[in-house]
Amino acid sequence: AQSVTQLDSQVPVFEEAPVELRCNYSSSVSVYLFWYVQYPNQGLQLLLKYLSGSTLVKGINGFEAEFNKSQTSFHLRKPSVHISDTAEYFCAVSPSGGYNKLIFGAGTRLAVHP
Amino acid sequence: DAMVIQNPRYQVTQFGKPVTLSCSQTLNHNVMYWYQQKSSQAPKLLFHYYDKDFNNEADTPDNFQSRRPNTSFCFLDIRSPGLGDAAMYLCATSGTGGGYTFGSGTRLTVV
């Protein structure tokens, strides 16, 4: 079975500052990793995903994440945040290959202040 | 654009009155999922279809059922909604290569 731990429930940050949202996972098999963003009363939008290959993954809106297999982590980073990045961010994992359900972390609320 | 569409965006239903939420996709994905997301919580998988094969999560209440009449459509039926069923319901699809696509969700209110 897989599990995901998002280490921070809330992250406050000032506009134009860098941010890192932390995610650790647990799995006995190889996995795919995802970050999703959710704005109020909206569905989930994919920011980026790691399937294989380069461990540094670049996504939309200037976000990137690095897969670290030894530390079982997949932290999300952005060098300079905007007010519009205020949202809930979910890290998710699924077993690699085939059709498998996503397991979500509890979410991190990113609050960007002017 | 290929996408996952959920209707309606907002649904109000009475306590105990059956309600159906709908989801359609133009991606031709084999798998369709229904997630329930309560306020300030992570999405929780209720069930999924692999083509016509239905897969129920062990802890999904019997009050929740689903139908998939064809590849494009999937429905979530709540037979007797309770106040605790108020949530955002998210439909998603997946194909090969770990690609999941979510709809915009239906916010269900039970009065």
Side-chain angles (χ1 to χ4, degrees):
Chain A
Q2 291 72 43
S3 66
V4 179
T5 302
Q6 291 185 242
L7 296 156
D8 306 293
S9 60
Q10 296 185 64
V11 173
V13 64
F14 287 109
E15 193 173 20
E16 297 183 5
V19 71
E20 178 180 81
L21 306 184
R22 297 180 293 168
C23 173
N24 286 92
Y25 70 93
S26 173
S27 177
S28 57
V29 300
S30 60
V31 295
Y32 295 152
L33 293 156
F34 305 82
W35 275 100
Y36 286 88
V37 61
Q38 187 176 37
Y39 300 100
N41 284 316
Q42 297 286 325
L44 296 168
Q45 182 182 9
L46 181 66
L47 281 176
L48 47 80
K49 60 185 177 183
Y50 172 80
L51 304 182
S52 65
S54 173
T55 57
L56 182 62
V57 181
K58 293 191 182 297
I60 63 170
N61 301 342
F63 284 94
E64 64 180 33
E66 185 154 20
F67 170 56
N68 188 319
K69 188 174 181 179
S70 63
Q71 297 186 8
T72 61
S73 68
F74 191 55
H75 301 332
L76 180 71
R77 301 185 183 98
K78 185 170 182 178
S80 176
V81 295
H82 303 289
I83 296 287
S84 59
D85 292 322
T86 295
E88 191 83 21
Y89 291 78
F90 290 98
C91 181
V93 63
S94 77
S96 63
Y99 302 94
N100 290 292
K101 64 185 182 185
L102 281 173
I103 306 298
F104 286 92
T108 297
R109 172 77 178 163
L110 176 64
V112 182
H113 301 286
Chain B
D1 288 344
M3 58 178 63
V4 178
I5 299 168
Q6 291 188 244
N7 284 305
R9 289 293 311 278
Y10 300 91
Q11 175 75 57
V12 180
T13 191
Q14 290 181 330
F15 182 95
K17 184 176 180 180
V19 65
T20 295
L21 310 182
S22 72
C23 177
S24 64
Q25 57 136 339
T26 60
L27 297 158
N28 206 33
H29 281 166
N30 296 77
V31 193
M32 294 187 77
Y33 308 81
W34 279 104
Y35 285 83
Q36 179 193 61
Q37 185 181 23
K38 295 189 176 181
S39 182
S40 301
Q41 294 184 22
K44 178 180 176 299
L45 184 65
L46 294 173
F47 26 60
H48 74 276
Y49 275 94
Y50 185 119
D51 292 328
K52 285 193 173 293
D53 292 333
F54 177 70
N55 299 273
N56 200 33
E57 293 299 298
D59 56 354
T60 297
D62 292 340
N63 198 25
F64 291 86
Q65 314 237 314
S66 185
R67 296 171 284 135
R68 189 179 186 186
N70 54 54
T71 300
S72 300
F73 286 87
C74 195
F75 300 97
L76 170 61
D77 301 309
I78 308 176
R79 292 194 295 186
S80 181
L83 297 179
D85 298 326
M88 174 76 90
Y89 290 88
L90 297 164
C91 175
T93 71
S94 71
T96 57
Y100 298 82
T101 303
F102 281 83
S104 297
T106 294
R107 170 73 68 186
L108 179 68
T109 301
V110 182
V111 298

